[in-house]
Amino acid sequence: AIAALAADIATAPQARPLTVDLEACTVATADGQTQGFVMADEARDMLLHGLDAIDLTLRDKAAIDAFIDVDRQRRGWVYRATT
C-alpha cells in the first residue's frame, strides 16, 4: 500500500505532496488516499516531541539519580576516584 502511494507520486513528486500524521500514523495524498503505518512507540514519541536518544534518557533522570544514590551506598568502591 505504501508502495502504491510512492508510485502514485513518483511521476511528479513536487506536484503531489504527501502529508504524514505521526499522531495518527497515516500518510495521505492530496487527493485523499490514506494509508496507515506502524512504527515503534519510542521512535514515534521521539519524533513527536523533538527528542534524541539522550533527551529520551534524561526524561528518567530522577530514577537514574535515585539508582545511583542507592548503588553508591551499596558499592561505594565503584565511585571512588583513582589517582
Side-chain angles (χ1 to χ4, degrees):
I2 293 291
L5 287 175
D8 186 49
I9 66 164
T11 56
Q14 304 288 351
R16 312 274 325 240
L18 294 176
T19 300
V20 177
D21 183 336
L22 285 174
E23 290 181 351
C25 288
T26 59
V27 178
T29 62
D31 63 0
Q33 293 181 52
T34 302
Q35 178 62 47
F37 63 89
V38 177
M39 72 183 305
D41 289 340
E42 185 175 274
R44 183 174 162 265
D45 194 42
M46 288 171 68
L47 286 169
L48 285 169
H49 296 100
L51 304 173
D52 64 13
I54 293 170
D55 294 324
L56 191 65
T57 300
L58 289 176
R59 283 179 150 188
D60 296 321
K61 185 174 181 342
I64 293 166
D65 290 343
F67 170 84
I68 291 170
D69 289 343
V70 169
D71 193 50
R72 183 174 275 135
Q73 302 259 333
R74 289 183 185 153
R75 302 181 316 142
W77 58 269
V78 172
Y79 297 90
R80 284 191 213 118
T82 58
T83 55

